């Protein structure tokens, strides 16, 4: 048995490190797009470049009392998954067929974008209160699993296609 850290946990730990750059005061999220065991792009949640960060001006969502998983448009920040997509686009990198490793399950807005980017699989550490996101991933036939950082623990929940070509990177 190989004593090294398995690839999914390796990339999920990198996503955790990326999340440490987040400027969100409510939730730190990191994401890593990978293909053929190579990182294509990373992203974390926070305000757009050149715009004041929530760390500096406060959280609009907290001020308005917006619960998690609702009214995404009432936020200064971009989601980590959105920033992965944008960074790949800015640098001319295709995400088609890639695997996304994320600290949190993508919301429905990010899910729709990832579906259109044709990602092959999504692995995440924490759930998110957005059942429509999971329904759409299943309908789009995109492999998605909630995993543990402990490789011995295996998956903590699963909802994915059986014959995915986007097997673990």
């Amino acid at each position: 048995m190989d004593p090294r850290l398995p690839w999914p946990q390796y990339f999920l730990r990198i996503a955790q490190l990326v999340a440490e750059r987040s400027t969100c005061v409510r939730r730190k999220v990191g994401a890593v797009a990978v293909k053929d065991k190579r990182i294509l792009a990373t992203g974390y949640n926070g305000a757009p470049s050149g715009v004041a960060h929530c760390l500096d001006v406060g959280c609009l969502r907290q001020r308005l009392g917006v619960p998690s998983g609702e009214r995404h448009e009432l936020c200064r920040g971009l989601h980590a998954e959105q920033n992965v997509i944008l960074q790949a686009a800015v640098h001319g990198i295709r995400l088609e067929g890639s695997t996304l490793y994320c600290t949190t399950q993508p919301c429905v807005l990010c899910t729709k974008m990832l579906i259109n980017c044709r990602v092959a699989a999504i692995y995440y550490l924490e759930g998110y209160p957005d059942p429509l996101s999971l329904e759409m991933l299943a309908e789009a036939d995109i492999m998605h699993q909630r995993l543990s950082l402990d490789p011995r623990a295996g998956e903590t929940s699963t909802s994915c296609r059986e014959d995915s070509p986007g097997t673990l990177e």
Side-chain angles (χ1 to χ4, degrees):
M1 177 180 242
D2 191 344
R4 298 179 298 171
L5 188 65
W7 288 109
Q9 283 73 20
Y10 172 78
F11 290 119
L12 285 168
R13 287 187 185 184
I14 292 172
Q16 283 186 313
L17 185 61
V18 171
E20 292 188 31
R21 290 281 307 154
S22 170
T23 59
C24 179
V25 298
R26 289 175 69 166
R27 179 190 306 255
K28 295 192 176 301
V29 180
V32 180
V34 175
K35 191 167 186 178
D36 300 325
K37 298 185 179 92
R38 301 293 177 251
I39 295 173
L40 302 176
T42 65
Y44 53 87
N45 57 328
S49 299
V51 175
H53 297 292
C54 297
L55 288 174
D56 302 325
V57 297
C59 177
L60 175 64
R61 294 175 62 80
Q62 273 183 341
R63 198 165 47 249
L64 297 175
V66 178
S68 183
E70 297 179 15
R71 303 290 313 267
H72 297 288
E73 75 279 8
L74 295 176
C75 182
R76 296 179 61 80
L78 293 159
H79 290 186
E81 303 92 330
Q82 293 169 337
N83 273 323
V84 163
I85 293 166
L86 291 167
Q87 285 303 307
V90 164
H91 297 286
I93 298 168
R94 293 176 55 113
L95 294 180
E96 184 174 0
S98 68
T99 298
L100 185 80
Y101 294 89
C102 195
T103 57
T104 305
Q105 170 197 319
C107 72
V108 71
L109 296 175
C110 292
T111 292
K112 290 186 281 187
M113 293 179 203
L114 293 165
I115 289 168
N116 276 1
C117 286
R118 299 184 185 136
V119 299
I122 299 171
Y123 298 98
Y124 54 91
L125 292 171
E126 298 175 15
Y128 189 73
D130 195 337
L132 182 56
S133 168
L134 297 177
E135 290 172 25
M136 291 188 79
L137 287 170
E139 184 178 343
D141 205 26
I142 294 178
M143 165 78 116
H144 55 287
Q145 287 183 323
R146 182 175 177 184
L147 297 178
S148 168
L149 279 180
D150 181 356
R152 295 170 302 224
E155 61 192 62
T156 56
S157 69
T158 183
S159 177
C160 57
R161 63 184 186 205
E162 298 295 323
D163 61 334
S164 172
T167 55
L168 298 178
E169 292 290 328

